[in-house]
Amino acid sequence: MEGQTSQHGQIIEINVDVPERERSLGGNKICGEAPCGFADAATNSNDARERSASMRKLLMAVALCVVFMSIEVFGGIKANSLAILTDAAHLLSDVAAFAISLFSLWAAGWESNPRQSYGFFRVEILGALVSMQLIWLLAGILVYEAIVRLINETSEVNGFLMFLVAAFGLVVNIIMALVLGHDHGHGHGHGHDHHDHGMGHRHGSRITTDHHEEHPRGEHHDHCDEENPKTGHHHFLDKHHRTGEVLAEPLVDKPKFGPEQKKQQNINVRGAYLHVLGDSIQSIGVMIGGAIIWYKPEWKIVDLICTLIFSVIVLGTTFNMLRNILEVLMESTPREIDATKLEKGILEMEEVVAIHELHIWAITVGKVLLACHVKIQPEANADLVLDNVIDYIRREYNIIHVTIQIELRAQDVVLEATVLKLHLDDEFINELHDSVLSFAVLEKENAYGSVAINRTWDSSIGGKCRP
Amino acid sequence: MEKTKSFKYHTQESNLGLSTTDRRLAYVRQASYNQSQLQEPPHTPISIFPDESAKPFLSRSISNIDTISHHDKYFEKLSCFRALRSGNRQMKRLFLLISLNVAYSTAELAIGLFTGRVGLVSDAFHLTFGCGLLTFSMFAMAASRQKPDFAYTYGYKRLEVLSAFTNALFLLFMSFSLAVEALHAFIQDESEHKHYLIVSAVTNLLVNLIGVWFFRNYARINLVYRNPEDMNYHSVCLHVLADSIRSAGLILASWFLSLGVQNAEVLCLGIVSVAVFMLVMPLFKVTGGILLQMAPPSIPSSALSKCWRQIVSREDVTEVSQARFWELVPGHVVGSLSLQVKKGVDDRPILQFVHGLYHDLGVQDLTVQIDYD
């Protein structure tokens, strides 16, 4: 690989349409997802089903919320208590968050148009981001209220009332959490996420081994266990899970953020769930504070401390989801895909010389796209190699939307010839080398191409521009 | 604009700022393009590199031979802080602004707590939120210089867009909350106008005006973004501008109240809310569009369809499909396309043609698939 002196001369690119039409169930398989405009029938309907299931859940939660909120408002006006009205305002914020989630879910199903060529799937992520920001805002507001309560040293801070209102809020939140998070039938809890601080190790240890050759291609989710030693238990997903129902999650554990299973709860429902979870945690905090103040009315500062602690806990629960959202928005390689392994796997194929410009990114959680350039031997059959590569990627990583540019190693060296023709002085050549290097490094997904350029430079310019 | 000013930081070997070497780069681009250079020529990547050259941006020891392993990634994150200290002018200004704000808000919080005045505390909270956002912006500025690695194959430039989006979102929240406050004042109809708030509002206004002065180049509503830093700076500027409008509104409201105008608070708060909303909406839309993978607004669809027609008009191309383009950051467009050609046709000229066509439009990364019929 080091010896190659040729750059991107000849490029042969094979469309993936050809292999897919043979194997697909129907429709253009190049994009099994709506972004392409042609949706694979199975996937699209699965998507739609999942989305409508999530929307139903959210609608139920919103309805519950509104009911409780009106009860509280009514009761608060009657009892003329500010605390109850404040709690009603919190429920209102819950409704707002659910509304945002509902809107995102609904918008994600819009048809793609030339302006939005990938469809509207990203709306989900943005909606989730907005609702996370709302949680942060609300946590801040709650802390502010606690401080205000502290400052207003009046005796209207009634510990008993606080306790009662918070208890009521907690019950409401628990009911909504059950509506949102749990679905009858499959009790696969995914707990133990607290230990998953795999920040530094995400590419090493997260190897998804998917054995799903035998499953029809319409199903996305046949990933098996994630070999993350920290989780300990494995989730085997049955086929009938695919119809959009979500897994139950233990109430206080963070939802699993390794979305390698398509089973992962829709991100908006997850956001709403986090909202409700945060609210219940804060209700617990207020309850504790209220109880303490009720018991010992002079320890007002306890209220503030409690609120602070629980707000921090709530913010902690949002952290994982924010990280997920951030990764998708930054077009980073999804966690469930090990890019190094993928690259190695492709390189192991015969006739594949190098890969570069490998980009794997997700349009939303669970929908992954890949694009790369593959260099092959000049005498190889490009069609065949392309078929193999695409097959490998689909089989192993279940990335449906794949774009492979096949390049042959060619003879002419582009950049070198260019510079030699210019006859410029060394300084400029240095600068130029820098710029070439920089652009080569920009595509540094694989080092081979870049190294080749370097060596070429060295040989042709007499070693002036050493890396 | 800022680019010309930051030339002081232009060192020899690292970044090639656009003006002095522009011609030479263009020349190279021409020549290499003719040689079936189908990747982006050296010209285009330069444009997305930051003007600041805080880190010598290709310490070649790391760059091309090794892939960045994880501890290197942490090392790079640490070096962000070093980058901050040696950061470009805007970053230093932002840092100054943030420290001013933090100092002011802690002072306000302390005073509010000790004297028991709720208004001060609420103002301090508002300021703290704002500071937090500005810190995130600064972090985005620093962190976005990192080179792309295995996890973030497109680099970290999107952080700037994200921070702009977050700023815009916060401003929208603020405008909404001001509207709620106006409504509240309208309903309650109490003119509880506290004098001590004036002092804090005036100080707040001064601090924010300093911020606006720092970022005065970006004090416009509709801005053409040439690179992602533009977006970030614009969002910071709008943030401080909106804050200053709010303080001015409060001052105005209390002045009107002292003059005896009825409903002054409602009026002023309402005006401020609407003003902030209109200020922020364009930025929000643009950043939202980028984050939503929308087709790049800088490339008109008529140009894209013209390209399409030109490709289809070639005799060996049967069909063009799935042309998708999206903007990674302002100034860097990525796209993919798939062609169907007749069997046995040599694809190299077609590819050259297609790449050249789109490159002229500004699409840097294009992946073209060719399917033989």
Side-chain angles (χ1 to χ4, degrees):
Chain A
M1 312 274 187
E2 306 297 311
Q4 72 186 58
T5 53
S6 60
Q7 304 326 306
H8 325 281
Q10 167 78 286
I11 297 199
I12 292 188
E13 294 163 334
I14 315 289
N15 195 349
V16 282
D17 272 347
V18 173
E20 284 133 22
R21 280 196 204 119
E22 295 155 5
R23 281 188 241 114
S24 72
L25 303 172
N28 191 346
K29 199 55 176 190
I30 185 171
C31 347
E33 42 184 343
C36 304
F38 326 100
D40 176 20
T43 318
N44 204 20
S45 74
N46 274 339
D47 263 354
R49 238 178 306 157
E50 178 180 333
R51 218 174 309 127
S52 66
S54 308
M55 277 177 82
R56 239 180 305 142
K57 261 202 248 186
L58 279 176
L59 275 171
M60 242 191 313
V62 167
L64 268 177
C65 226
V66 167
V67 161
F68 282 128
M69 183 175 73
S70 39
I71 292 179
E72 267 196 357
V73 165
F74 186 63
I77 292 184
K78 248 193 156 206
N80 204 11
S81 150
L82 192 62
I84 299 183
L85 285 176
T86 319
D87 209 47
H90 279 243
L91 274 184
L92 184 68
S93 78
D94 262 353
V95 172
F98 291 156
I100 292 177
S101 298
L102 263 176
F103 172 74
S104 320
L105 268 179
W106 173 61
W110 288 343
E111 283 291 316
S112 60
N113 57 37
R115 224 43 213 162
Q116 292 274 93
S117 44
Y118 289 99
F120 287 90
F121 292 99
R122 272 287 168 90
V123 177
E124 282 183 357
I125 306 281
L126 280 186
L129 181 67
V130 170
S131 95
M132 290 295 114
Q133 305 277 42
L134 260 180
I135 292 185
W136 281 62
L137 196 70
L138 286 176
I141 290 182
L142 216 70
V143 170
Y144 163 68
E145 278 175 6
I147 293 186
V148 164
R149 270 202 295 264
L150 187 66
I151 291 182
N152 294 343
E153 312 272 356
T154 63
S155 61
E156 77 175 54
V157 180
N158 186 350
F160 180 59
L161 193 58
M162 262 173 64
F163 183 82
L164 218 54
V165 169
F168 180 63
L170 182 65
V171 166
V172 166
N173 280 323
I174 289 183
I175 294 179
M176 284 198 298
L178 287 177
V179 164
L180 282 178
H182 179 82
D183 218 342
H184 26 267
H186 341 278
H188 290 272
H190 331 227
H192 316 290
D193 299 316
H194 318 283
H195 319 296
D196 197 80
H197 305 299
M199 263 198 82
H201 310 289
R202 77 196 194 109
H203 300 291
S205 61
R206 277 193 185 252
I207 303 176
T208 58
T209 60
D210 305 74
H211 335 288
H212 56 208
E213 294 92 350
E214 53 270 25
H215 300 278
R217 277 171 199 279
E219 318 256 348
H220 283 253
H221 77 287
D222 303 300
H223 299 258
C224 299
D225 334 305
E226 180 194 40
E227 291 171 359
N228 192 331
K230 299 174 187 144
T231 54
H233 52 264
H234 300 178
H235 315 283
F236 244 112
L237 308 169
D238 316 316
K239 232 178 274 229
H240 78 280
H241 281 196
R242 187 60 192 85
T243 57
E245 305 193 291
V246 299
L247 302 178
E249 288 165 349
L251 200 58
V252 255
D253 281 345
K254 296 180 237 180
K256 190 172 197 69
F257 62 83
E260 97 274 13
Q261 309 130 2
K262 184 95 165 144
K263 278 306 313 245
Q264 164 126 81
Q265 215 177 19
N266 182 294
I267 197 168
N268 286 114
V269 175
R270 213 163 68 176
Y273 177 78
L274 272 185
H275 223 102
V276 163
L277 188 70
D279 261 1
S280 36
I281 291 180
Q282 271 163 353
S283 297
I284 294 178
V286 170
M287 260 171 67
I288 295 181
I292 293 183
I293 290 187
W294 178 26
Y295 177 57
K296 270 208 183 257
E298 59 269 10
W299 286 356
K300 293 233 169 93
I301 194 106
V302 163
D303 178 29
L304 178 63
I305 294 178
C306 258
T307 313
L308 275 176
I309 293 178
F310 283 93
S311 295
V312 167
I313 294 181
V314 166
L315 294 186
T317 61
T318 65
F319 178 66
N320 280 335
M321 184 146 147
L322 267 180
R323 188 153 62 161
N324 264 0
I325 292 176
L326 209 71
E327 284 170 1
V328 171
L329 285 179
M330 295 264 299
E331 320 284 343
S332 80
T333 311
R335 274 172 186 261
E336 67 263 22
I337 307 228
D338 187 352
T340 346
K341 185 161 167 277
L342 191 143
E343 203 174 325
K344 280 205 188 71
I346 296 184
L347 282 175
E348 275 163 14
M349 296 185 184
E350 64 278 4
E351 299 177 342
V352 169
V353 170
I355 310 181
H356 56 102
E357 269 214 54
L358 177 67
H359 292 295
I360 311 177
W361 54 280
I363 186 99
T364 176
V365 170
K367 293 190 166 41
V368 185
L369 298 89
L370 182 149
C372 74
H373 301 184
V374 175
K375 253 195 187 24
I376 63 176
Q377 313 266 3
E379 59 274 359
N381 179 7
D383 248 330
L384 197 60
V385 175
L386 185 75
D387 263 354
N388 288 342
V389 170
I390 303 241
D391 195 40
Y392 169 73
I393 292 179
R394 285 173 178 225
R395 215 177 351 108
E396 293 292 320
Y397 298 94
N398 207 23
I399 303 176
I400 297 300
H401 193 120
V402 171
T403 307
I404 309 278
Q405 181 168 309
I406 303 270
E407 308 172 354
L408 295 180
R409 284 178 47 189
Q411 289 71 17
D412 42 336
V413 176
V414 175
L415 248 39
E416 172 186 16
T418 304
V419 171
L420 286 181
K421 280 188 189 135
L422 290 177
H423 300 298
L424 292 169
D425 57 50
D426 294 343
E427 194 177 59
F428 178 59
I429 290 181
N430 265 330
E431 243 177 342
L432 188 62
H433 177 267
D434 277 357
S435 69
V436 167
L437 187 57
S438 63
F439 105 78
V441 167
L442 246 202
E443 12 172 335
K444 74 179 277 293
E445 279 59 50
N446 187 297
Y448 300 114
S450 317
V451 170
I453 291 180
N454 266 349
R455 298 288 165 86
T456 306
W457 275 93
D458 281 342
S459 59
S460 67
I461 307 187
K464 290 228 187 273
C465 318
R466 225 157 254 303
Chain B
M1 260 192 39
E2 280 306 302
K3 281 200 185 57
T4 46
K5 285 192 198 156
S6 64
F7 256 123
K8 304 180 196 161
Y9 300 97
H10 164 99
T11 63
Q12 175 114 24
E13 39 112 285
S14 66
N15 82 57
L16 305 170
L18 279 177
S19 82
T20 58
T21 48
D22 210 6
R23 261 181 307 124
R24 285 189 280 180
L25 284 176
Y27 189 46
V28 167
R29 170 191 174 199
Q30 200 96 48
S32 62
Y33 162 52
N34 290 338
Q35 301 277 335
S36 73
Q37 169 56 261
L38 288 168
Q39 304 306 320
E40 54 274 35
H43 163 64
T44 36
I46 304 291
S47 63
I48 73 171
F49 292 153
D51 293 320
E52 323 82 45
S53 63
K55 298 205 301 199
F57 86 160
L58 295 171
S59 36
R60 299 183 224 190
S61 49
I62 327 181
S63 63
N64 51 358
I65 312 291
D66 312 317
T67 62
I68 294 189
S69 63
H70 300 295
H71 55 270
D72 269 353
K73 193 148 88 122
Y74 289 134
F75 173 66
E76 276 189 359
K77 285 205 165 69
L78 283 179
S79 67
C80 288
F81 293 111
R82 225 181 309 130
L84 194 117
R85 232 168 293 143
S86 60
N88 68 329
R89 182 196 293 188
Q90 298 289 28
M91 210 188 299
K92 289 197 185 119
R93 284 174 172 176
L94 187 58
F95 185 64
L96 189 63
L97 191 66
I98 292 177
S99 28
L100 262 178
N101 263 333
V102 165
Y104 177 59
S105 86
T106 28
E108 209 178 4
L109 186 67
I111 295 180
L113 276 178
F114 284 143
T115 57
R117 287 177 174 157
V118 177
L120 283 180
V121 171
S122 80
D123 206 34
F125 261 86
H126 180 98
L127 266 188
T128 314
F129 261 112
C131 278
L133 266 179
L134 289 180
T135 315
F136 179 59
S137 288
M138 196 169 64
F139 164 73
M141 273 187 222
S144 72
R145 297 156 183 235
Q146 289 181 34
K147 298 184 284 292
D149 55 23
F150 261 114
Y152 293 89
T153 53
Y154 283 110
Y156 290 84
K157 288 283 171 183
R158 265 270 174 113
L159 264 180
E160 311 237 18
V161 177
L162 256 178
S163 99
F165 180 75
T166 320
N167 264 323
L169 198 64
F170 170 73
L171 286 180
L172 280 179
F173 279 164
M174 185 169 92
S175 117
F176 180 66
S177 90
L178 281 175
V180 165
E181 234 179 275
L183 199 67
H184 178 90
F186 181 65
I187 292 180
Q188 299 253 353
D189 204 30
E190 54 187 86
S191 51
E192 28 135 297
H193 110 240
K194 313 160 183 116
H195 280 279
Y196 50 84
L197 268 187
I198 303 270
V199 174
S200 94
V202 167
T203 325
N204 203 4
L205 182 65
L206 284 177
V207 170
N208 283 318
L209 281 181
I210 292 180
V212 174
W213 174 253
F214 279 165
F215 287 91
R216 61 188 174 281
N217 287 317
Y218 295 92
R220 302 177 47 183
I221 298 186
N222 282 310
L223 196 58
V224 167
Y225 305 108
R226 260 177 271 150
N227 49 26
E229 291 84 16
D230 272 352
M231 221 172 225
N232 209 0
Y233 300 149
H234 188 214
S235 78
V236 169
C237 183
L238 283 184
H239 182 114
V240 283
L241 198 62
D243 254 347
S244 50
I245 289 179
R246 174 178 162 267
S247 309
L250 285 179
I251 297 177
L252 212 63
S254 56
W255 182 50
F256 279 163
L257 275 179
S258 71
L259 284 186
V261 178
Q262 294 288 42
N263 285 336
E265 210 165 348
V266 178
L267 210 64
C268 286
L269 283 178
I271 291 179
V272 166
S273 158
V274 167
V276 169
F277 183 80
M278 289 182 41
L279 203 66
V280 153
M281 217 29 175
L283 177 70
F284 184 71
K285 277 198 218 149
V286 172
T287 44
I290 291 186
L291 290 177
L292 279 180
Q293 312 284 94
M294 208 162 75
S298 51
I299 300 181
S301 49
S302 57
L304 286 176
S305 38
K306 185 170 125 197
C307 282
W308 181 291
R309 280 196 304 271
Q310 274 185 293
I311 298 176
V312 170
S313 68
R314 284 179 72 106
E315 54 193 11
D316 26 11
V317 174
T318 359
E319 189 187 331
V320 180
S321 56
Q322 293 161 20
R324 297 209 188 91
F325 303 94
W326 53 281
E327 215 170 15
L328 175 69
V329 285
H332 188 173
V333 180
V334 177
S336 76
L337 187 63
S338 81
L339 298 180
Q340 269 199 316
V341 299
K342 306 202 175 101
K343 213 167 196 51
V345 168
D346 181 20
D347 50 356
R348 185 169 19 164
I350 303 178
L351 281 168
Q352 263 181 274
F353 178 65
V354 171
H355 273 270
L357 209 58
Y358 279 102
H359 189 85
D360 286 337
L361 278 187
V363 179
Q364 278 94 341
D365 297 335
L366 183 68
T367 314
V368 182
Q369 282 181 346
I370 292 195
D371 178 24
Y372 294 94
D373 243 344

